Amino acid sequence: MMLRSGAGRSALRSLVSAASSVSRTPVRSAFSKAQLVSPLGSASARRPQLLSLVAYRPISVSVQRYASLGGIDRKYEEELSKRKLEAHPDTVAAGPGAILDLPEEKDVDMLKGVKADMKTITETFNLGEVPREAYYIGLAGVLPYVATSMTTVFLAWDINHASLTGHGLFLSGQNAELLLNFIEPLQVGYGAVILSFLGAIHWGLEFAGYGGSHHYRRYAIGVVAPAVAWPTILLPVEYALIGQFLAFTFLYFADARSASRGWAPPWYGTYRFVLTFIVGVSIVFSLIGRGQIGDKVSRLPGPADRLQQLREAQWDDLEREEQERRAKIVAEEEAGE
């Protein structure tokens, strides 16, 4: 009866017109957007527009589908709720709430850099290409330098101990000072000998014609080395050690350059680096030990002091001879009167 009345029919018409307007509005908007696309556009550019049509399905279609399925299957829903969920990370797509198959983090070796540095140092000091005879004799040659350096450090420590407690641990302060004054010139003199020997090697390479003949350029290295080394024995110990440290460093760079040019064997640069490193460390330790007791020991006169004393003695002798000559002249003049 309700549908037969005018009010019922008008209400039904309003519902139908509302559903059709809902269904037509998104479709028209979608088709209007589709018409703006150029005919030259690719097929891939039209795919999202076709999908957008599917997204705007009318509500009536969903309602009709729900009615055709006959409502919710309660039995199936209960069976589904009792099933145990199984994780399948490989088949789950990334998205909100999805399980991601993240790669496992690898353990980072924190000591990788240190190990690489230690490997480099080991390979450097290995010196596999160096002849064994030259390697062993070269290391034996730096042992006196290392021994005098360690002795200087020990005596400096013993002198400091004697100055604080009144007695040394192994030697008295006076004996330790006397031994130190004997060790220091020995180290400086031995350093001068080693520098002269390193310079003479270039003379031998030139005599043998290794890498060709280079004449004065290679001979000059053998001359400069002793010319710089031997004057250091006239200097105070601290200045002598610093001067020899610079001489060893300069001669190392000259030897490394000679090896790179082919004037010396290829392994000679690395070989000289190892020996120069040991000698340089020894000199540094000697300077540190000597610096700790600079105001606690009296310095014995060195060669420069002895030269100064000799010069002063000569001046005294000349002055005395002059005075005697004048006195003799005066005596002769008085005797003549």
Side-chain angles (χ1 to χ4, degrees), residues 8-204:
R9 293 178 181 177
S10 61
L12 181 60
R13 290 174 182 173
S14 63
L15 290 176
V16 172
S17 62
S20 62
S21 62
V22 171
S23 60
R24 291 175 184 176
T25 301
V27 174
R28 289 178 181 177
S29 62
F31 275 111
S32 63
K33 293 181 181 178
Q35 292 174 359
L36 294 177
V37 180
S38 174
L40 299 178
S42 60
S44 60
R46 297 189 181 93
R47 290 176 184 174
Q49 297 171 359
L50 296 177
L51 293 176
S52 62
L53 297 177
V54 179
Y56 292 100
R57 292 181 300 180
I59 301 175
S60 59
V61 176
S62 301
V63 173
Q64 293 176 2
R65 183 179 179 183
Y66 177 78
S68 63
L69 294 176
I72 301 175
D73 190 353
R74 299 293 182 182
K75 185 177 180 181
Y76 176 75
E77 293 292 337
E78 292 179 0
E79 294 179 357
L80 192 63
S81 62
K82 294 179 181 179
R83 292 181 183 178
K84 184 178 180 181
L85 296 178
E86 297 180 359
H88 299 283
D90 298 335
T91 59
V92 177
I99 301 176
L100 299 179
D101 188 11
L102 298 177
E104 296 182 359
E105 296 184 358
K106 297 181 180 179
D107 295 335
V108 180
D109 190 1
M110 303 299 293
L111 300 178
K112 183 178 180 180
V114 178
K115 292 178 180 178
D117 294 338
M118 292 300 298
K119 183 179 179 181
T120 303
I121 295 173
T122 303
E123 292 177 353
T124 301
F125 283 86
N126 187 18
L127 301 176
E129 299 180 357
V130 179
R132 295 296 92 183
E133 296 83 359
Y135 182 59
Y136 295 142
I137 295 175
L139 291 179
V142 299
L143 287 180
Y145 223 99
V146 175
T148 53
S149 177
M150 294 299 101
T151 304
T152 299
V153 173
F154 167 73
L155 293 175
W157 177 79
D158 210 2
I159 291 172
N160 274 329
H161 187 272
S163 64
L164 294 176
T165 60
H167 59 84
L169 186 60
F170 296 100
L171 298 172
S172 63
Q174 184 178 2
N175 291 336
E177 183 177 348
L178 291 174
L179 184 58
L180 180 64
N181 291 327
F182 171 77
I183 290 295
E184 288 176 341
L186 185 63
Q187 183 178 11
V188 174
Y190 187 74
V193 172
I194 294 298
L195 285 171
S196 301
F197 172 77
L198 293 175
I201 291 177
H202 292 273
W203 281 55

Side-chain angles (χ1 to χ4, degrees), residues 183-300:
I183 290 295
E184 288 176 341
L186 185 63
Q187 183 178 11
V188 174
Y190 187 74
V193 172
I194 294 298
L195 285 171
S196 301
F197 172 77
L198 293 175
I201 291 177
H202 292 273
W203 281 55
L205 293 172
E206 182 65 25
F207 291 160
Y210 190 94
S213 298
H214 304 283
H215 308 291
Y216 290 109
R217 287 184 296 174
R218 187 145 59 176
Y219 284 130
I221 301 176
V223 173
V224 171
V228 174
W230 284 105
T232 58
I233 65 176
L234 304 177
L235 301 175
V237 177
E238 294 86 354
Y239 298 105
L241 292 175
I242 293 174
Q244 289 189 2
F245 180 85
L246 297 176
F248 275 111
T249 305
F250 167 77
L251 196 56
Y252 160 69
F253 281 110
D255 292 341
R257 188 173 180 83
S258 299
S260 63
R261 287 181 174 181
W263 296 6
W267 49 263
Y268 188 64
T270 307
Y271 175 69
R272 284 284 291 109
F273 169 76
V274 174
L275 300 182
T276 304
F277 177 79
I278 297 174
V279 171
V281 171
S282 301
I283 292 176
V284 170
F285 274 101
S286 297
L287 290 173
I288 293 174
R290 193 67 174 78
Q292 298 297 322
I293 55 172
D295 56 344
K296 298 181 178 64
V297 295
S298 59
R299 187 173 62 87
L300 290 179

